[in-house]
């Protein structure tokens, strides 16, 4: 592809050109569907965040305050369900994945555009049903363990239907991505010339497709228990509650990697661009994504160390759990090796990527504490766990999402973000995050259980600190969203390639034309040749025809 | 080389062609998810049969083997008619395809009617999903399988309508081929359910 071809795009209509409700609601364009997912999932991020602030506010002081214990149970269940199922699982794959997979592999759309739109509507239907059920007080926590969930008066049956639909949508999306990556890569784009984000999304899709059906059948069985009195999970009827936990975690543990792998993919894209160096250990990063996906299926039992499962099983699951740390470590070392002696540009996407690495290392290492059978028995269901998964999910996935949003904002919207506001937000969010969640590690080791609405006074100091941290965090997030909103209207017009990236999405105008590529590009090399002779200078990129 | 049309995964046109790679890969991936969906039930079956072997043996005697066997024959035959339909569409024999699709639909209906007779017989005898674990498994497994048959019938009806409008032909045979794989899968699940529930208990 030559520069003339790039320029030729300029006078083509970009994908945002058509206005009006129908042009969005009936679109088959993967970019628009991605944007719709983005708005939907970010909405639940903000809603779930407000719930979190309420929970923290309640925990500011040890005694009864604000609302009742039951309301507290309902709120943390809503916070968990929204954040996990409606935000963090679909956030990166469905929004940024949908938008960028075809662009990054040089395709005009995903393999099944109609299925893509359908899965968005299935997702919406799932949301409506899920929210509908949450209106009736839900008090089981997001894991809805049996037998309690089979008996409680809350609208569990409706919730299972809602989550079943959400899961179905994610299976359809994952299936679409797998087929897209297999069949629609541009000529010359061999597997080892694919951007690492694509590898990450491929591994993610495999997990989604292989694990979601198991939670689907689990939810169906739970619904059957409630509707027809089948007692699979109810010991009173000869059933086995451990079976529920096995099924539940067989899905829910691999899904942790659905949450984190796409974020790792984003980091792998951002770091070489802003370090101006070829990514170190390309194949190791690519394979480690697949390895994480594979090992992720073998470790679910570490959630059940104290469930009464056999000790032998516990030891085996503990051993396997440590294995996941290996490919994860491989990725982190490769990113750091890429940074080493790079010409690092501290633009906002890079700042978020660095925050990701820093926070995710803490989250990952504390995961080893929990994976160790003996230690887990001590800290199980304490605030240590809460801190750990917030460090991995918010410190990892959400920081990765922020990196991706800042990196690709110009491409999606055609506008530049205000760097200064972005940096102010970063300066509030990263410390605010640590002030909120780091004290929880200490609280956990000291023995404060999770899910308590009131607590003994000796825990007050750290709890108050955490609550104050949550305000700083919230202030930063508000500033960030103000920046997103403001730049839509007032941002400078984005050039095609503001960061001098080599991947394909930067070789077309911002925002991209409706058809993505006028001529499907032919690929001659991998996209990470930064800092070499063929480095992209003044608009000229390396992919010469 | 990718073409510049909208459907860039379509193979070049010939006398007849197989379904595009994307359609086949898509349906196989989907079937993998279906297998895992039923996999949960088979796991539960294995667990509870291990826990209560005698209960399973005693209860399964109440199922009607003749009706179960008849249904197996019905479903296998429908798989045959489906396979013939695919062969017909590839050779551009529209009439044969139409006939076979309708036969498949009719056989699926027969399967459900027999299932209905069995279930209502059970209910009349006071046997319900909550009676015990065996019947819970029986109703959930055959029920979920039955739902797959119902879903398949809906798609079959849609295919018949599309075929009437000549939207499915030798040039564009993917829907029939892809559905055929699904239908064989539904058949395959029954091939496992029948011996597990009716024969060995």
């Amino acid at each position: 592809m030559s520069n003339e071809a790039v320029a030729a795009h300029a006078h083509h209509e970009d994908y945002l050109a058509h206005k009006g409700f129908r042009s969005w609601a009936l679109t088959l364009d993967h970019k628009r569907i991605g944007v719709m997912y983005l708005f939907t999932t970010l909405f639940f991020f903000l809603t779930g965040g407000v719930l979190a602030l309420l929970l923290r506010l309640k925990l500011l002081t040890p005694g009864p305050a604000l609302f009742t214990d039951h309301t507290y149970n309902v709120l943390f269940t809503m916070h968990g369900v929204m954040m996990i199922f409606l935000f963090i699982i679909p956030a990166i794959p469905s929004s940024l994945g949908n938008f960028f997979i075809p662009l990054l592999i040089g395709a005009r759309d995903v393999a099944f555009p109609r299925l893509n739109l359908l899965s968005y509507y299935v997702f919406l239907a799932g949301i409506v049903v899920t929210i509908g059920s949450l209106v009736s007080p839900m008090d089981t926590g997001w894991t809805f363990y049996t037998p309690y969930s089979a008996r409680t008066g809350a609208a569990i049956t409706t919730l299972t239907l809602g989550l079943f639909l959400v899961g179905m949508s994610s299976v359809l999306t994952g299936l679409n991505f797998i087929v897209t990556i297999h069949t629609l890569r541009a000529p010359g784009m061999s597997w080892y010339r694919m951007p690492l984000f694509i590898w990450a999304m491929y591994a993610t899709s495999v997990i989604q497709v292989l694990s979601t059906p198991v939670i689907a059948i689990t939810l169906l069985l739970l619904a059957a228990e409630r509707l027809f009195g089948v007692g699979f999970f109810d010991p009173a009827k000869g059933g086995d509650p451990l079976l529920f936990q096995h099924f539940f975690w067989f899905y829910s543990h691999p899904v942790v990697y659905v949450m984190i792998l796409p974020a790792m993919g984003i980091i792998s894209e951002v770091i070489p661009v802003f370090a101006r160096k070829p990514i170190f250990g390309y194949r190791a990063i690519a394979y480690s994504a697949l390895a994480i996906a594979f090992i992720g299926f073998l470790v679910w039992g570490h959630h059940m160390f104290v469930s009464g499962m056999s000790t032998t099983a516990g030891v085996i699951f503990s051993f396997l759990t440590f294995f996941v740390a290996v490919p994860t470590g491989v990725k982190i070392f490769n990113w750091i090796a890429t940074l080493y002696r790079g010409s690092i540009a501290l633009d906002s996407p890079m700042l978020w990527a660095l925050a990701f690495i820093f926070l995710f290392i803490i989250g990952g290492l504390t995961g080893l504490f929990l994976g160790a059978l003996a230690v887990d028995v001590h800290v199980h269901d304490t605030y240590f766990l809460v801190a750990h998964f917030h460090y991995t999910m918010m410190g990892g996935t959400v920081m990765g999402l922020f990196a991706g949003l800042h990196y690709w904002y110009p491409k999606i919207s055609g506008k530049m973000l205000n760097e200064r506001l972005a940096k102010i937000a970063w300066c509030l969010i990263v410390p605010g995050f640590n002030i909120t969640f780091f004290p929880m590690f200490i609280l956990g080791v000291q023995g404060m259980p999770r899910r308590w609405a009131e607590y003994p006074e000796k825990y007050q100091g750290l709890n108050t600190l955490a609550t104050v941290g949550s305000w700083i965090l919230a202030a930063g997030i508000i500033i960030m969203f103000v920046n997103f909103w403001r730049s839509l209207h007032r941002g400078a017009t984005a050039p095609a390639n503001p960061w001098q990236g080599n991947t394909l999405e930067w070789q077309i105008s911002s925002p991209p034309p409706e058809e993505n590529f006028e001529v499907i590009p032919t690929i001659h090399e991998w996209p990470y040749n930064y800092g070499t002779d063929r480095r992209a200078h003044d608009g000229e990129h390396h992919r010469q025809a | 080389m990718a073409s510049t049309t909208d459907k860039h995964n379509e193979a070049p046109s010939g006398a007849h062609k197989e379904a595009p790679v994307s359609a086949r890969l898509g349906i196989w991936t989907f079937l993998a998810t279906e297998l895992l969906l039923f996999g949960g039930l088979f796991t539960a079956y294995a667990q509870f049969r291990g826990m209560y072997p005698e209960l399973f043996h005693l209860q399964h005697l109440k199922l009607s083997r003749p009706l179960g066997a008849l249904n197996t024959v019905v479903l296998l035959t429908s798989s045959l008619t489906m396979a013939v339909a695919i062969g017909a569409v590839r050779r551009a024999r529209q009439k044969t395809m139409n006939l076979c699709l309708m036969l498949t639909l009719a056989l699926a209906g027969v399967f459900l009617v027999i299932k209905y007779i069995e279930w209502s017989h059970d209910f009349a005898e006071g046997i319900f999903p909550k009676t015990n674990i065996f019947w819970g498994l029986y109703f959930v497994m055959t029920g979920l399988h039955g739902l797959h048959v119902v879903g398949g019938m809906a798609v079959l009806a849609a295919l018949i309508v599309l075929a009437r409008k000549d939207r499915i032909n030798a040039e564009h045979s993917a829907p029939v081929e892809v559905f055929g794989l699904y239908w064989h899968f539904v058949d395959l699940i029954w091939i496992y359910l029948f011996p597990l529930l009716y024969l060995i208990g």
Side-chain angles (χ1 to χ4, degrees), chain A residues 3 172 215 307 400 448:
Chain A
N3 282 328
L172 295 179
I215 194 73
S307 69
M448 178 167 166

Side-chain angles (χ1 to χ4, degrees), chain A residues 264-321:
Chain A
M264 291 171 156
I266 291 173
I267 301 307
S268 304
E269 294 302 319
V270 168
I271 284 189
V273 173
F274 292 89
R276 307 311 305 171
K277 270 183 65 191
I279 189 111
F280 184 88
Y282 172 92
R283 289 197 182 198
I285 295 181
Y287 285 136
S288 64
L290 298 181
I292 288 173
F294 175 72
I295 303 169
F297 275 104
L298 307 177
V299 303
W300 76 89
H302 68 223
H303 295 268
M304 299 166 60
F305 284 155
V306 298
S307 69
M309 178 177 71
S310 79
T311 316
T312 318
V315 171
I316 292 169
F317 278 124
S318 182
F319 178 74
L320 288 171
T321 299

